[in-house]
Amino acid sequence: MNDLSTERTPQVIAAEITMITRQTRKILLASAVEIGRRLKEAKSLVNHGEWEKWLEESVRYSLSTARRLMQLYEEYGASFPDEPGLSNHAPVRDLTYTQALLLLGLPGEEREEFLAQNDVTGMTKLELQQALKDRDLAKQESEEIQQENKALKKGLEGINNAISSLMVQSLLPENAQRESPAAGASSSVGSTGSAPLESNAAMPTHNLKTEIDPNAPAKYVERCDTCCKTISTAFFDLTTALTNLHYLDGNLKEQKRKEAQKLLETIAETIKVWPPPKKPLKVIR
C-alpha cells in the first residue's frame, strides 16, 4: 500500500510549483543585485558620455533598466556579499525581486522597520502594495495631527494676543484691574453696571489735559479714529483665531470665546457714559 504522504496530487504539485517559483524569484533578486554591482563597476570605467552607448551595445540594457539594477545593488548589496562562503543572512534576502522593487520607495531605516513589523515574504504583490499604501496613510495622518497641534498652539497665541490688544486699546477706568475685589465691585458697579474683568494687564491712566492749541480737537479726533481702527483689527484677528480653534478644539474655543465676550461686554458697558460720572479724572495743567 502506498504512503498517502507521498501521493502525487494536484495540490502537492501546485505547492511544489509555488515553492520553485518563489525560489526562482529570490534567485532573480540575488542575480539582479550582482548585475547591479557589475554595472556600477563598469560605469566607473567607461569613458564619460559613452555610458548609454556601452549599455546598448554591450549588454542590451536601457538606461532606466541599468539605473534600477544599480539601485537594487546600492540598497540591498550589503545583504548579498560577493565573497563565497561569507554568511550575512538578512530579511532582505528572503524577498522576491518584485517585493524588493516595491520596497525601494522606503528609506533604509524605514524599510528595516517595515520588514520587522510585517510578514512581507508571505505577501502577494497586491497585499504588499496595500500594506505600503496603509503605511503611507498612517504616516500622513500622523503628520496632519502634528500640524493640527501646531495650528492649535498658534491659534491660542493669536487669541491671547488679540485679547491683550483689545484690553490695551480699551477705555477702562484707571487701574481697574488693580483694585481689590471689594473696592472693584463697588466702583465698577456704580460706574459701569458690571463687574471688572479679571486680568493681570495694567490699563492706561486717563488724564485730562487742558490745551490752548486750537488744533487739539482735531488731534484727539484722529487719535480716537486710530484707536477704533486698532480695536477693529484686533477684533477681526480674534474672530479669525476663534474660527480656526473651533475646528481644532471646541472646548478651548468656547473657553476663549467666553473670555473675549466678558472683555467686550465690559468695554461696551464702560463706554456708554464717558467720562465716568462718579469717578472724576485727574486734570493735568
Side-chain angles (χ1 to χ4, degrees):
M1 185 175 180
N2 294 333
D3 188 353
L4 294 178
S5 62
T6 61
E7 182 180 356
R8 303 294 293 170
T9 65
Q11 291 77 12
V12 171
I13 296 173
E16 291 177 352
I17 292 174
T18 300
M19 180 182 65
I20 295 172
T21 300
R22 291 194 60 82
Q23 290 175 344
T24 302
R25 290 175 178 172
K26 291 179 182 179
I27 295 173
L28 178 60
L29 174 59
S31 300
V33 170
E34 290 304 318
I35 292 173
R37 188 195 309 274
R38 286 158 178 77
L39 286 173
K40 288 278 292 185
E41 181 182 6
K43 187 176 182 181
S44 65
L45 300 174
V46 173
N47 293 331
H48 180 71
E50 298 182 2
W51 173 238
E52 189 170 358
K53 179 181 178 181
W54 182 89
L55 286 173
E56 183 178 351
E57 294 179 351
S58 302
V59 293
R60 298 184 181 278
Y61 281 168
S62 66
L63 189 59
S64 60
T65 298
R67 286 173 178 168
R68 182 166 60 250
L69 291 168
M70 288 190 292
Q71 187 180 9
L72 284 171
Y73 164 66
E74 291 169 354
E75 295 296 330
Y76 302 122
S79 300
F80 294 87
D82 54 354
E83 298 181 17
L86 183 61
S87 176
N88 184 26
H89 187 76
V92 170
R93 301 187 67 175
D94 293 327
L95 298 176
T96 66
Y97 177 77
T98 301
Q99 290 170 341
L101 283 179
L102 290 174
L103 291 174
L104 281 178
L106 299 181
E109 293 183 0
E110 295 183 21
R111 186 188 307 124
E112 292 180 3
E113 181 180 356
F114 185 83
L115 286 171
Q117 296 176 351
N118 298 273
D119 182 20
V120 176
T121 57
M123 293 182 180
T124 64
K125 177 181 178 180
L126 292 178
E127 289 172 341
L128 179 54
Q129 288 175 328
Q130 184 61 48
L132 290 171
K133 182 179 180 180
D134 292 342
R135 172 196 172 276
D136 292 341
L137 288 175
K139 184 178 180 181
Q140 181 180 352
E141 290 177 357
S142 176
E143 292 174 351
E144 289 176 353
I145 290 174
Q146 293 179 5
Q147 291 298 324
E148 288 179 356
N149 288 336
K150 291 181 180 179
L152 175 59
K153 182 179 179 181
K154 186 176 181 180
L156 287 173
E157 292 175 352
I159 290 175
N160 289 331
N161 291 337
I163 291 177
S164 298
S165 179
L166 284 170
M167 292 179 66
V168 171
Q169 294 298 327
S170 65
L171 301 177
L172 293 178
E174 177 183 358
N175 297 328
Q177 276 66 41
R178 295 184 178 181
E179 296 178 355
S180 63
S186 60
S187 63
S188 296
V189 172
S191 61
T192 67
S194 63
L197 181 67
E198 296 179 1
S199 173
N200 293 325
M203 304 310 299
T205 300
H206 295 90
N207 295 323
L208 178 62
K209 296 183 179 180
T210 58
E211 301 187 33
I212 303 177
D213 185 0
N215 295 322
K219 179 177 67 174
Y220 287 114
V221 166
E222 181 181 359
R223 185 171 181 181
C224 287
D225 292 341
T226 300
C227 290
C228 287
K229 183 177 180 180
T230 301
I231 293 173
S232 176
T233 300
F235 182 74
F236 177 80
D237 292 340
L238 171 65
T239 54
T240 299
L242 284 172
T243 300
N244 292 330
L245 190 58
H246 171 75
Y247 294 102
L248 298 174
D249 191 319
N251 292 330
L252 273 176
K253 181 273 300 182
E254 191 61 18
Q255 174 187 337
K256 291 300 179 179
R257 185 198 64 78
K258 289 180 179 179
E259 292 178 7
Q261 180 182 6
K262 185 176 181 180
L263 170 64
L264 293 172
E265 288 175 350
T266 302
I267 294 174
E269 187 66 25
T270 302
I271 203 66
K272 282 182 178 180
V273 178
W274 194 267
K278 295 187 178 181
K279 188 170 184 179
L281 301 181
K282 180 180 179 181
V283 178
I284 298 178
R285 298 184 183 277

